[in-house]
Amino acid sequence: MQYFDLSRQYNLNDILTPFLSLEDLSQHEWYLAKISVDYDCLTDEDLVEGSITLKSHHNVQIELAWLILDNGHELQVLFKGIETSVSEQTLVIVKGARLVDEEGQELSAQALSLWIDGTLLNMLPHIRKEIKSRLNLWDYVDYDV
């Protein structure tokens, strides 16, 4: 049973949301839980963008923004703010946990991006194929008739 000092004010979110390190997250099993596409077919924009939600077996979620680029011979899936130079907006959202470093301080966005690029994406080697397979890419490709 857990007891609380009623003379203090508590933020319920601080009590219910676990504090996790990147090492803790590395121990989780991750899977693709949701994919969304943001595409305006009324414009001449060649980019297909969207987001994915990765979920762990401990109910932690990481939302990543992605885009698809045509490099001439294949369609590449890149994660915005991690594999692209876009950094002026938040492109990674973590739900279900508060991330801290070894000293217990809140984790920086740069450290989280490095972990996602170096660890999380390696734990999901087929994530790009999964994104492509869930899209009907023929809707976004120009071809000669």
Side-chain angles (χ1 to χ4, degrees):
M1 182 172 243
Q2 192 170 9
Y3 295 97
F4 299 103
D5 180 0
L6 296 178
S7 65
R8 291 183 49 202
Q9 265 195 326
Y10 289 95
N11 181 346
L12 192 58
N13 197 33
D14 289 344
I15 297 169
L16 298 177
T17 306
F19 289 84
L20 298 175
S21 68
L22 294 178
E23 181 63 35
D24 297 330
L25 291 183
S26 297
Q27 305 304 316
H28 292 203
E29 294 175 29
W30 295 91
Y31 62 93
L32 179 58
K34 180 180 169 186
I35 184 168
S36 64
V37 180
D38 303 321
Y39 182 75
D40 185 359
C41 60
L42 299 176
T43 66
D44 291 334
E45 185 75 31
D46 286 339
L47 287 179
V48 178
E49 299 183 46
S51 63
I52 60 169
T53 300
L54 302 173
K55 199 170 188 179
S56 80
H57 67 291
H58 287 294
N59 208 27
V60 176
Q61 296 181 20
I62 298 178
E63 295 179 14
L64 301 172
W66 56 265
L67 58 90
I68 292 182
L69 292 177
D70 184 356
N71 66 7
H73 64 279
E74 70 172 345
L75 297 174
Q76 271 188 311
V77 176
L78 298 176
F79 293 101
K80 291 170 65 176
I82 296 168
E83 297 173 319
T84 67
S85 59
V86 177
S87 58
E88 64 271 2
Q89 54 186 332
T90 303
L91 301 168
V92 178
I93 300 170
V94 179
K95 296 179 181 175
R98 297 179 78 183
L99 302 183
V100 294
D101 60 16
E102 296 82 25
E103 289 85 36
Q105 302 297 317
E106 190 169 322
L107 194 67
S108 71
Q110 183 180 10
L112 177 59
S113 294
L114 289 172
W115 178 81
I116 289 171
D117 190 32
T119 303
L120 182 61
L121 294 178
N122 292 334
M123 294 168 69
L124 301 162
H126 304 293
I127 191 70
R128 295 169 211 283
K129 289 179 185 174
E130 286 187 60
I131 291 171
K132 287 183 192 179
S133 71
R134 295 187 189 201
L135 303 174
N136 184 0
L137 294 178
W138 291 110
D139 292 341
Y140 312 108
V141 176
D142 290 332
Y143 51 92
D144 296 325
V145 178

